[in-house]
Amino acid sequence: MVLLQRPHILLLLIDTHQFLQCWIAFGSANEEGQQQEEFSEELLVKPLPDHKLLAHFHFQSSAPPSTSNGCHHHLFPKAISQLVQKFRVKEMELSFTQGRWNYESWGGFDPISSSNAKPPGVELWAVFDVPQHHIDASWKNLTHTLSGLFCASINFLESTATYSTPEWSFPPASGNVRYGTFPCEAVCTENLTPWLRLLPCRDKAGIALLLDRPSLYRGFYHSQRLHLTSTESSSEGIDSGIILEQTLTVVLQPNSERAIEVHASEKHVQPSWSLSSIFGKQVSGRCVLAKSSSVYLLLDRGLVAELKFPNKENGKSAANGLTSENFWSNPSFELSVNPDRIFLEESSSHSKSLSILYMFQVEKYSESEPFDIGLMWKVPVAWLCQQTPLHASRFLMGSGNERGAIAISLKSTQFTEGFMSANSKDGSCELRVDVFQVVPWYVKVYFHSLRVFVDQQPRAVSDFIEKIHVSPSKDKMSPGVMEVVLKLPCRVNTAALTIEFDKGFLRIDEYPPDANQGFDIPSAIISFPNFHASMVFLEDDSLNRSPLLSKFQDKCPVMSYTEVLLVPLTTPDFSMPYNVSTIKCTVFALYFGSLLNVLQRRVAEEERFLKAKAAKKTGRLPLLLSKLSAKLRGSGINQD
Amino acid sequence: METFINPKSLFHLLLLPCLLLYSSIAYNSSPVEAAMHTNNWAVLVCTSRFWFNYRHMANTLSLYRTVKRLGIPDERIILMLADDMACNTRNKYPAQVFNNENHRLNLYGDNVEVDYRGYEVTVENFLRVLTGRHETAVPRSKRLLSDEGSHILLYMTGHGGDEFLKFQDSEELQSHDLADAVKQMKEKHRFKELLIMVDTCQAATLFNQFQSPGVLAIGSSMKGENSYSHHLDSDVGVSVVDRFTYYTLAFFERLNIYDNASLSSLFSSYNPSLLMSTAYYRKDLYKRRLEEVPVTNFFGSVMETIHTDAAYKALSRRNSGRFEDEMSLDQSVHHIERRMLIKVNDGDEIHDINPEGEEGACKCPWSTFRNKFQKAENVDSLVNYGLVAMIPLLVISTWLVQ
C-alpha cells in the first residue's frame, strides 16, 4: 500500500511544484508591467600602480514610482524612502571619508576617482523640491535625521555658518542645492553599520560579506558614499521613483608579508593578492535578493598598454566571441578563477589604449565552494594611471596668528601635454577650470586680494577669470563662498590663485574642546567641465546592463578635491577667565572691605561699647544661675 | 513608684499606632508610585577626549557591551563617546577597542551604535538627554524616551574632582547640575529608579546634592581619593581600563540574563585594596533593600512577569503587595543614612570626611529602630512595638501628674 502510494505523492509534489513555478512566473510577469524594486551588488577590483589595490563596492537599489503599494517596500530601505518623502529631496549625496585620495598615483581621470574620491570627513549636498524659503528648514531637518541614521555629527551642518548655497559651479547646478562639509568628522564602524543595514542582505550574504571592519579601516583610504536621486513620476507629483546608490571605495595594501618576502631585485613586482588575503573573508554565494551579483577586475588603460596583449589589435572580436584564451593566460599575470566574460572598452577620446574588464558571476558559487579571485604577477610591471588635466593642490602662506593667504596651485600633468599636442593644430586652445571654495567665517577672506599667477608670472585677473561669484562671509552667520571659472591656455605649466585672509576671533564658548589643534578649511573643488571621465564597455546585451557599468558610462565632469587646510587660530588660555575673575573678586573684596571698614568705624564709640560689654559679661553667668535657682525655689514654694 | 494608668494616657496610647497606620496607607495610595516597571534604559557617557584617555572609552564600551548582553536593546541605550579611538590614527588595531591586554574581546564589534560623539558630547547635550528638552529636529535615536516606569542606568566616566566632572577638557558638570537634572527628570516622570554609576576621581562628591527619591548612586572613590587605571597595554600604548570598571565587569562577566545576583552583592564585591580607592554608594534615596534588588534591574532588561487570571488586573495586585516597602521608605527619606564600604582597618583614616560622623550618635537608635521596624511582619507586631514605645511616655506622664 505504502509503496503504491508513494509515486502518487511524488507526482502530486511535482504537480504542485510545477503549479507553483507557473504561479511565480505568472506573478513576476504580472508585475513586469509596473516596475519592480531592484537591487544589485557589484564589486570592482583594480590594481593600482603603487602596489596597492582599489576595491569599489557598488550597491544599487531602486524603487519604482508607484502608487499601488504606497509606503510599502520589498527591498528598498524604508528609512530612505521616508526621508525622501518627508523632506522632498530630489537628489542627495552623503559621503564619509577617511584618508586622502592620492590623485597622482591612483589617477584622477576615471569614473571612480572623479565621483568617488571625496574630501576627508563628511560631505553632504542635497537638492530639494520645496519652495525657496523652506529649503533651509528642510536642510536642517535632513541633517538631524541623517545624523540619527548614520551615527554621525552631521547635525553640525544645520547652522547657517557651516553650509553654503553654490550658485552654478557645483555640478547639479540649481538654486535649490545646499552644500556642507565637516572635515574633522571621524569615520568608523558605527557609520558603516547603518549604511550596510540599508542593504537587503546587510552584511550577512553576498558581496557585502567581504566587509570585514578591521581590514577595511586598516586601508589607506576609505570612502563610503550614499547617493540618491528621486525622479518625479509624470502622473502624480507626490510619489516618486528613487534610485539609491551606495558605494564604498577602499584602497588597501595587499598582504604586506609577501611584499617583504620579495627580493630586492624584484622590487617592482606587484604584490599578488586574492580577495581572501585582503579582506580575510570569501564570498559564499550571492545575496539571493539581488538581481545581479558580480565581481569585476579592471585593468587600467595604462596597465593594459604596458602588458601588451598579443592580440590587442583584434581584441574586440576576441572579447565578443570569448574564444581567445589570451586574456587570462597572459604571460605577465595569472588569474586564479577563469572570468565569465571579458569586456573591452570602446575607444576613448583621451587615451590610445583601452582598459579591460573581467567579469565574474557570483551566482555560480555557494557556501561549499566560495568565490575568491586572486591575481598572481609573474613579471614586474610599472605603469601610470591617467591623471586629471591639471593637478590641484592647496596650501597656506604667511605666518603668525594675524593673517595669511590661501593658495591653490594647478600643475600640468602628463595628460595635459598629450592633450596639448593633440589640439596643437588650432592655436587658441583653452582649458576651463572651475574652482569652488567655501571658507568658514572666522577666516576672513579679502576677495579683492585675489591674484592669478600663470607660469609663475603675476597676471591680470580679468585675463584668465571668465566668471566669478563671491558671497562674502557674515560673522557667525554664513561662510564665504567663492566660485571661479578660469580659462587657461592649454600649454600652461603652472597656474596659481592666491587670496589673503585675516584670522578672526571667536568667543570663548565657540572654541571646540581641541582648539589648539587648529581649524579646518574645507576642501576646494576643482572641476574640469570640458573633460568627461567615462568608460564605455562593449556589451552585447543592453537589456541586462549592470548598474556599475552604466554608471561608468555617464558623462560626469572630471573633478578633484584639494587638501583640507588646517589654520591655527589664536587660542586663549581657557582657564584665564577663571583666574581673572578670581583675582578680581579677591581684589575687590580686599579693597572695598577695608575701605568700608575704615569709613564706618568710629573708634571712640566702639571702645566705649566694648567696655560696657566687658562690664556686663562678668556678671552674666552667675546672674543666670541665680535667676534659675530663684525660679526653682519659687516653683517649689508654689507647688507646696 | 506604682504604675497608675489613667484613662487619658490610655487614649494617647491607642491613638499613636492608628496615626502611624493611617499615614502609611495615605502614602501608599499616592498616584506617583503606582507606576510599574516598564522598561530599562542606559545612558553611557565617556567624557574624555584625546588618545591617552583611551581607557575611558574602553570603560564605556565595556559597560555598553554588558548591558547589551544582558538585554537592553540598542534603541534604549544612549551612548556618548567624546572621541574616536577605534579609527584613531594612533590605534594599531583599527576599528577595534580592547579593555584587556589579552585582546580577546573586541569591544567595538560590528554593531556599535554611537548616538553622540566627538564635539557633540557636551554638558548641554548631556543635560538635554536627561531632561528631554531637545530641539524638534533631533531624531528619536538621540533621545531618552523613558517613562515613569523606567529603570535607568547612568554610567559616566572621565576626569573629575570635588563635585564636578570634566567634559572634554573644556566644560564641567557640577554636582548641582546633575542633581537638578535628576530632579527635573523625577518631576517629569522620566524614571522610576535611577542608578548612577560614576568612575572618576572623587566620584562620591558628585552625589552630594541629590534629593530625588528612587536614586541610587555608586562612585569609584571617596572625596580626596583618586580612581586609578587597571593596567597598561603595551601594544596599544596606553592604559586600557580603569580599576572600578574592571572589577565591575569582572562581576558581570560571571552573570547571564537569568541570574539573580543582587545589587548589594555587586556593591560588596568591590575590594578597596584592589580598587586603590573606596567605592562609595549612597542609598538613602532608594527605597528598596539592595539585597532584594537584582542587578538586572538596571543592567539588564528583565521584565517581571505577573500571572493574572483576568486581563488588566496586574496593577492593583502589585499595589497591595507593596505595603511593606512603602513603610520603610517613609522612614528612610527623613533620616538620611549613608552606608559605605570601608574596611575596619582603614576606617579611621577616612572617618573625618565621612558624612556619618556628623550625624554621630543620634543615628544609632534610629537605625536599630528602623531595622526592627522593617522586620515587622504584620500590623500586630507593629502595634506591639507601638505599645513598647509608649511605655516611657506613659511613665513620664504619670510621674508628671503626681
Side-chain angles (χ1 to χ4, degrees), chain A residues 170-349:
Chain A
F170 201 68
S174 142
N176 295 351
V177 66
R178 291 289 180 275
Y179 173 86
T181 56
F182 189 54
C184 51
E185 177 75 347
V187 183
C188 208
T189 316
E190 67 261 29
N191 305 118
L192 184 65
T193 306
W195 184 86
L196 284 171
R197 279 195 193 137
L198 302 176
L199 305 175
C201 292
R202 303 195 170 185
D203 57 347
K204 303 287 178 233
I207 289 171
L209 205 63
L210 287 174
L211 296 170
D212 171 49
R213 312 299 195 277
S215 42
L216 274 188
Y217 291 102
R218 195 170 286 134
F220 293 87
Y221 172 88
H222 64 91
S223 174
Q224 142 198 352
R225 179 172 150 268
L226 180 135
H227 184 109
L228 68 90
T229 43
S230 73
T231 46
E232 298 256 324
S233 67
S234 52
S235 55
E236 209 175 323
I238 302 159
D239 245 318
S240 56
I242 313 165
I243 297 171
L244 173 71
E245 187 191 305
Q246 289 171 265
T247 63
L248 176 74
T249 312
V250 273
V251 175
L252 301 163
Q253 179 81 60
N255 214 342
S256 54
E257 289 153 36
R258 268 188 223 167
I260 296 161
E261 281 173 30
V262 170
H263 301 295
S265 58
E266 296 171 19
K267 220 174 187 176
H268 292 290
V269 176
Q270 293 281 328
S272 303
W273 52 264
S274 66
L275 283 187
S276 56
S277 77
I278 315 166
F279 294 108
K281 286 182 178 178
Q282 290 171 320
V283 182
S284 55
R286 65 185 186 116
C287 166
V288 284
L289 297 168
K291 197 187 99 192
S292 69
S293 171
S294 35
V295 175
Y296 300 93
L297 171 69
L298 178 71
L299 298 187
D300 209 26
R301 288 161 187 158
L303 177 60
V304 171
E306 195 69 30
L307 290 175
K308 292 186 186 67
F309 285 96
N311 56 347
K312 201 173 79 185
E313 297 310 311
N314 57 351
K316 276 183 196 175
S317 60
N320 286 341
L322 278 179
T323 47
S324 171
E325 294 284 303
N326 289 320
F327 281 104
W328 59 82
S329 64
N330 192 280
S332 46
F333 70 90
E334 198 180 326
L335 285 175
S336 66
V337 184
N338 280 354
D340 297 307
R341 288 178 67 187
I342 299 169
F343 299 110
L344 257 187
E345 197 189 355
E346 272 183 5
S347 59
S348 75
S349 53

Side-chain angles (χ1 to χ4, degrees), chain A residues 413-431:
Chain A
T413 55
Q414 100 277 20
F415 171 79
T416 343
E417 284 149 27
F419 178 73
M420 194 194 73
S421 62
N423 288 316
S424 57
K425 27 192 187 294
D426 51 335
S428 61
C429 156
E430 279 187 328
L431 191 66

Side-chain angles (χ1 to χ4, degrees), chain A residues 140 186 188 190 193 197 514, chain B residues 87 108 110-111 117 119 135:
Chain A
K140 183 185 169 182
C188 208
E190 67 261 29
T193 306
R197 279 195 193 137
D514 53 352
Chain B
C87 290
Y108 222 58
D110 285 352
N111 239 338
R117 60 176 202 173
Y119 297 146
E135 273 188 74

Side-chain angles (χ1 to χ4, degrees), chain A residues 96 98 140-141 144-145 147-156 158 182 184-191 193-194 197 203-204 211-215 217-218 222 281 511-514 517 578 639, chain B residues 49-50 74 81 83-89 92-96 106 108-121 125 135-139 141-142 167-172 400 402:
Chain A
F96 295 91
Q98 198 82 300
K140 183 185 169 182
N141 289 329
H144 274 283
T145 311
S147 87
L149 205 57
F150 290 104
C151 293
S153 346
I154 308 171
N155 51 324
F156 280 116
E158 63 152 3
F182 189 54
C184 51
E185 177 75 347
V187 183
C188 208
T189 316
E190 67 261 29
N191 305 118
T193 306
R197 279 195 193 137
D203 57 347
K204 303 287 178 233
L211 296 170
D212 171 49
R213 312 299 195 277
S215 42
Y217 291 102
R218 195 170 286 134
H222 64 91
K281 286 182 178 178
Y511 284 97
D514 53 352
Q517 188 206 333
Y578 300 103
Q639 211 167 28
Chain B
R49 206 178 179 76
F50 305 120
D74 243 335
L81 299 176
D83 204 350
D84 165 54
M85 299 297 172
C87 290
N88 198 308
T89 40
K92 196 183 156 194
Y93 304 95
Q96 295 169 79
N106 173 20
Y108 222 58
D110 285 352
N111 239 338
V112 63
E113 198 184 295
V114 188
D115 298 296
Y116 289 83
R117 60 176 202 173
Y119 297 146
E120 279 182 294
V121 182
N125 277 346
E135 273 188 74
T136 45
V138 173
S141 67
K142 289 185 159 189
F167 268 67
Q168 302 226 11
D169 263 4
S170 66
E171 289 177 292
E172 279 130 34
L400 277 173
Q402 286 165 355

